[in-house]
Amino acid sequence: MILAHSARAQSAPTLVIAVGFASLTRAAIGGAAPASAVPAAVAFSAILVAAAMWAGARFTRIPWPGVALGIGAATALVGLSLVGLPAVRVGPRTVASVLLWWAPLVAVVAAAEELVPRGVLFGALRDRRGDAVAVAVTAVLFAVIHLPLYGLPSLAIDLCVGLFLGCLRVASGGVAAPLVAHVLADLATGWLG
Amino acid sequence: MNRRVGALFAAALSLAALAAVRGNGGGPPLYDGLCTPPNYALLGSNPEPSPTSSPYSATDLATTQELATPPQIAPQAQIILGSGTLSPAPGASAVTLTIAPVKPPAIKPDGAIDGNVYDFEATSGGKPVEAAADHPVTIALEATAAGGPALTIEHLEGNRWAPLKTFQSGCGSTFDAAAPSLGLFALVARGASTPGPAGGGSGPSILLIVVAVLVVLALVIAAARTTRLRR
């Protein structure tokens, strides 16, 4: 498990630029449908993982309490995504051939999104400005990088999700909880839609 | 207050805000992952969208059943039947469910139809059968493109199109609604003469917003750091 710790606390502006660069690269490669483009998702993840490594993310043992909190949080997010739907519909991504590439890639993209915003960047901001600023800035960043994928209607949703995952980061003391919550929620809501 | 307890409380508040934004499922979908690009086949195009049909025995219909066309990765039309929604006619052993793309009827909805009009029919013993009362069927229709406007599933009832409470799911291109009966269904951009632009939020204006916010964030963080160093 990667503990995205900020070894370079002074790198926050650079990390914001790196996240922005990753997001704009995804939009540029993806063209009219960036959320559907596999090469765009791969490039996006690679840039974010490189930024996390540059900023000092390192491997450590698995923080099980954080993982457990993340599973609970994912359950809440998935439950919320199903509210109101007339029926739970297992989506088209259960086909084995799709799962082989879709599930790992979705997991990698979600994990990369957590490693920088709520990993190394969060650590850098919190060390200097405290939890509240770190949660607020990373939530805004999280919402903004999803604009090219889903447009303005998703802004409020992603802002709320960003705040939620940031609070998990504070409550658990590490990136494992938001990372697990994000990965599981994306996989489950993808399967169910 | 303990820092972690406070954070959990704030997380719960964020979740409540998220629920409010989602508007009981009526808001944009929550999914944030890799989407399957719609590859929509319009009636009259090449290849043609194909109808699908399947028989269900009384035993089958005692459990939830799904039928979709095409049955591959991204169905354009799908129906979900709860247990007991349909029953074979007296003397018949099965119900045949059919989904078929059809030409739009002469009656126009109050807006532009996105994609095909689909006819959902159930027959048993050569005669049409209807869904049982209080057993709505779930209709799911795919939009022609992701990232277009919010669409409404409408049902042709007599001589008018009736809008159904529609939920957007998946990547935003799948729409679900509970319908009281079978028949003709279509996705409609209400009040529009055309379905509207599609293609996600990757337009130049969105990208400009992204760049502007990121630059402001980076500058604010850098300025705060500089101020702190001067002190």
Side-chain angles (χ1 to χ4, degrees), chain A residues 10 20 31-32 35 77 81 83-84 89 92 102 105 113 128-129 131 141 146 150 153 157 164 167 171 182 186 189-190, chain B residues 3-4 7 11 18 22 24-25 28 30-35 73 78 80 167 169 174 176 199 202 213-214 224-225 228:
Chain A
Q10 75 282 8
L77 286 173
S81 77
V83 169
R89 189 166 45 81
W102 177 84
L105 193 53
E113 281 184 0
R128 304 277 171 145
R129 296 280 151 188
D131 286 332
L141 190 62
H146 286 95
Y150 310 117
I157 280 186
F164 176 67
C167 291
H182 193 163
D186 280 2
T189 52
Chain B
R3 183 167 145 260
R4 291 192 172 187
L18 182 59
R22 285 268 299 144
N24 195 29
L30 188 58
Y31 177 62
D32 163 35
L34 207 63
C35 301
I73 290 173
Q78 192 172 3
I80 302 166
F167 299 88
S169 61
T174 308
D176 303 77
S202 58
V213 174
L214 291 170
R225 203 186 81 205
R228 194 170 178 275

Side-chain angles (χ1 to χ4, degrees), chain A:
Chain A
M1 172 61 72
I2 292 174
L3 170 70
H5 183 75
S6 56
R8 301 183 184 185
Q10 75 282 8
S11 59
T14 312
L15 286 169
V16 170
I17 291 168
V19 173
F21 176 67
S23 174
L24 294 175
T25 301
R26 187 176 189 181
I29 295 175
S36 308
V38 172
V42 171
F44 173 77
S45 307
I47 294 168
L48 288 183
V49 169
M53 302 311 283
W54 170 80
R58 64 176 191 274
F59 289 93
T60 183
R61 62 189 174 86
I62 297 173
W64 291 110
V67 172
L69 183 61
I71 292 171
T75 306
L77 286 173
V78 174
L80 207 55
S81 77
L82 299 178
V83 169
L85 286 180
V88 175
R89 189 166 45 81
V90 176
R93 301 179 190 89
T94 47
V95 185
S97 58
V98 175
L99 280 180
L100 280 177
W101 64 265
W102 177 84
L105 193 53
V106 167
V108 166
V109 171
E113 281 184 0
E114 293 304 317
L115 283 178
V116 177
R118 267 166 296 272
V120 286
L121 176 59
F122 192 100
L125 291 168
R126 183 202 52 204
D127 292 348
R128 304 277 171 145
R129 296 280 151 188
D131 286 332
V133 170
V135 169
V137 169
T138 54
V140 169
L141 190 62
F142 185 74
V144 166
I145 63 172
H146 286 95
L147 278 177
L149 303 182
Y150 310 117
L152 279 173
S154 71
L155 183 66
I157 280 186
D158 287 323
L159 194 57
C160 292
V161 173
L163 288 171
F164 176 67
L165 295 174
C167 291
L168 284 186
R169 169 71 166 82
V170 176
S172 65
V175 76
L179 190 151
V180 168
H182 193 163
V183 169
L184 292 182
D186 280 2
L187 288 173
T189 52
W191 265 317
L192 298 173

Side-chain angles (χ1 to χ4, degrees), chain B residues 35-194:
Chain B
C35 301
T36 307
N39 189 17
Y40 204 91
L42 285 166
L43 197 64
S45 65
N46 186 18
E48 281 264 18
S50 56
T52 188
S53 190
S54 181
Y56 297 93
S57 68
T59 310
D60 294 335
L61 294 169
T63 58
T64 300
Q65 297 294 332
E66 270 184 79
L67 183 66
T69 179
Q72 297 97 4
I73 290 173
Q76 293 187 183
Q78 192 172 3
I79 184 169
I80 302 166
L81 302 168
S83 65
T85 303
L86 293 175
S87 303
S93 60
V95 174
T96 300
L97 199 57
T98 303
I99 308 174
V102 295
K103 287 183 179 173
I107 301 164
K108 302 291 180 196
D110 180 22
I113 292 177
D114 183 75
N116 302 316
V117 175
Y118 277 92
D119 187 12
F120 292 78
E121 281 189 3
T123 56
S124 181
K127 293 180 179 174
V129 290
E130 268 302 334
D134 299 329
H135 280 68
V137 297
T138 298
I139 302 292
L141 295 177
E142 187 77 5
T144 52
L151 301 170
T152 304
I153 293 181
E154 299 209 1
H155 180 210
L156 187 63
E157 293 178 356
N159 59 358
R160 71 179 190 97
W161 285 91
L164 302 174
K165 186 174 183 183
T166 304
F167 299 88
Q168 201 176 6
S169 61
C171 282
S173 59
T174 308
F175 296 84
D176 303 77
S181 59
L182 302 174
L184 296 185
F185 294 86
L187 273 176
V188 176
R190 290 175 63 76
S193 55
T194 60

